Amino acid sequence: MAMTTPEDSSALSGAPQPTSRWRQAAAALERAARVPLAGADALYRLGRENLHFTLPVLNGAFGDQLAARHDRRAIRMSFRRYKADVPVADLHVTAAPPGKPRKTVVFLHGLMGDEIIWQTGTGSEDIRFGPRLQRELGVHCLYVRYNSGLHISENGRLLHQLLTDLVQTFPAAVGELVLVGHSMGGLVIRSAGYYAGQEATKAATPTPVTAGNSSSETSAWLPRLRDVFLLGVPNDGSFLEQNSHLTSLILRKINLWPTRAISGLIDKRSNGIKDLRLARLVDEDWQNEHADDLFPPRTVVPPLPGVRYHVLVGSLLKTASSVLHEYFGDGLVGGGSARGRIFQDPASPPDLLITTQVYSQLHHGTLLSSPEVYQYLRERVAE
């Protein structure tokens, strides 16, 4: 007859065994120990995946100060390819068969952004506007990265020079130009157009044709400009920066040590951010002695004649007819500012070509991945 031990009786009765309890406790401790490691690993992977944003964010916040110190971390405006700066001569822009100029689309990011926002999103299959346009339409897509902490007008001048170099280097390959700007990038485009127009107006005599084929007709990029797409651009300024400026101004007026200290910290933000208050596009506006006044002077920069402007506006709401949309818009840029008074002027000259599209339930970032926005962009570029 088989004998049963106390351990066997405990197992048969279903009572918990000491060894089982120890195993459960050990397993629980092991899981608890892994939580911080898993969190750290997730943060590390997230950081690695978004490492390319670190430098643009730093430049957006303090890029003017980095540039003034000639800091190696200060971004210089350049075309980008393979996540690296590419000299214009190394772009190897080719003509479309049989030797015809190819339509060229140039993308500019916004504050604290970089060229990756036009190329890929968070998912591996989230291919964005640039690669899709190049694949589907056969256009040449180029991407510009710039120091968004500099004055908008400084970047405007640099973009004007960069596009001039592009057309001078590849006069037979670059055909119609299409410029696409998101947020601050749209303001940089408008500033570049202003300075290109100023330069053309001030030209005393046309540049003579030389053996290098660098006449004014082949070297100037402005006559080739066909379309400008402005995605979520604060054409009348950013309410966030307006609030920051007002807060700093009030704290300075209180004139106590704590308020002066806080105001000083707020004023450390970059010149590029400060320019967003009223969308200052020319040097004279920020150089003016009244530039920091509550209502400073502002130079009007009208749309370029003969160029088609596409003003694309995002809205957090289902309907864009409310006061909330006018102020908050896509969450970062107010609806009224994105539409821009200059683009809504009923007394505009008849040769201005302006189309405004409002996309509901899109925030500032999703304008860059919206199928509806891409479809509009594709159809207009294909025309």
Side-chain angles (χ1 to χ4, degrees):
M1 182 175 177
M3 299 289 293
T4 59
T5 64
E7 290 79 4
D8 293 334
S9 300
S10 176
L12 290 174
S13 64
Q17 301 182 49
T19 54
S20 176
R21 286 197 298 269
W22 281 113
R23 289 196 191 99
Q24 292 174 1
L29 288 173
E30 183 179 1
R31 288 194 297 270
R34 287 178 179 176
V35 168
L37 296 176
D41 180 64
L43 288 174
Y44 174 77
R45 285 186 281 106
L46 184 64
R48 292 292 299 176
E49 291 171 359
N50 296 277
L51 186 62
H52 61 94
F53 275 131
T54 304
L55 196 59
V57 168
L58 179 66
N59 277 255
F62 311 107
D64 54 334
Q65 300 165 46
L66 295 175
R69 298 198 303 264
H70 303 286
D71 194 298
R72 61 182 179 82
R73 293 168 295 180
I75 292 173
R76 295 185 178 184
M77 180 176 285
S78 174
F79 288 112
R80 298 278 291 179
R81 187 174 288 168
Y82 308 120
K83 298 184 180 180
D85 292 348
V86 180
V88 172
D90 294 341
L91 289 173
H92 304 299
V93 178
T94 58
K100 295 182 179 180
R102 189 188 299 269
K103 185 177 291 187
T104 303
V105 185
V106 180
F107 292 90
L108 272 82
H109 59 78
L111 177 68
M112 300 184 182
D114 67 0
E115 74 282 0
I116 304 299
I117 65 171
W118 300 109
Q119 300 169 358
T120 60
T122 54
S124 59
E125 298 182 358
D126 184 9
I127 305 300
R128 293 195 172 176
F129 295 175
R132 291 182 64 183
L133 275 180
Q134 188 158 301
R135 181 181 62 201
E136 296 175 10
L137 299 182
V139 298
H140 204 101
C141 291
L142 299 174
Y143 309 91
V144 173
R145 190 176 74 160
Y146 64 94
N147 181 347
S148 58
L150 298 179
H151 283 292
I152 292 171
S153 60
E154 292 180 299
N155 280 317
R157 290 180 181 276
L158 292 171
L159 178 62
H160 164 48
Q161 186 58 54
L162 192 66
L163 294 175
T164 300
D165 293 344
L166 174 68
V167 173
Q168 286 179 337
T169 306
F170 305 102
V174 176
E176 292 179 337
L177 272 176
V178 176
L179 303 182
V180 185
H182 176 242
S183 197
M184 180 189 281
L187 298 179
V188 174
I189 290 172
R190 291 183 58 200
S191 179
Y194 171 83
Y195 286 113
Q198 291 287 102
E199 185 175 289
T201 302
K202 293 179 180 178
T205 56
T207 305
V209 179
T210 65
N213 193 29
S214 60
S215 71
S216 60
E217 293 182 356
T218 58
S219 64
W221 62 271
L222 204 53
R224 301 175 188 236
L225 182 61
R226 179 192 180 197
D227 289 275
V228 171
F229 291 84
L230 304 175
L231 282 67
V233 175
N235 290 296
D236 290 333
S238 164
F239 68 87
L240 293 174
E241 173 54 23
Q242 289 162 6
N243 291 337
S244 296
H245 177 80
L246 182 60
T247 301
S248 175
L249 188 64
I250 292 173
L251 290 174
R252 283 202 305 271
K253 292 294 184 182
I254 295 174
N255 199 25
L256 297 175
W257 179 85
T259 61
R260 290 197 303 271
I262 297 173
S263 175
L265 290 174
I266 295 175
D267 289 341
K268 292 293 185 181
R269 64 197 189 282
S270 69
N271 289 328
I273 294 176
K274 292 176 182 177
D275 282 349
L276 288 175
R277 176 166 66 104
L278 295 173
R280 298 188 293 207
L281 306 182
V282 302
D283 295 339
E284 291 78 8
D285 286 356
W286 57 266
Q287 292 172 349
N288 192 289
E289 61 179 346
H290 299 290
D292 291 332
D293 290 357
L294 198 57
F295 300 103
R298 178 176 177 238
T299 302
V300 175
V301 178
L304 298 167
V307 177
R308 301 193 308 180
Y309 284 84
H310 308 271
V311 183
L312 309 184
V313 182
S315 176
L316 295 175
L317 308 176
K318 291 183 179 180
T319 175
S321 59
S322 70
V323 176
L324 287 176
H325 166 72
E326 287 295 297
Y327 187 77
F328 292 106
D330 61 20
L332 293 182
V333 176
S337 178
R339 290 199 308 274
R341 291 189 297 269
I342 199 71
F343 296 109
Q344 307 298 315
D345 186 359
S348 296
D351 59 346
L352 294 184
L353 309 171
I354 300 168
T355 303
T356 301
Q357 297 284 330
V358 180
Y359 298 90
S360 61
Q361 296 183 294
L362 283 184
H363 63 70
H364 197 63
T366 50
L367 279 168
L368 299 170
S369 58
S370 165
E372 293 81 7
V373 175
Y374 173 74
Q375 187 61 29
Y376 179 87
L377 175 66
R378 185 189 187 282
E379 290 174 357
R380 298 292 85 76
V381 172
E383 288 177 354

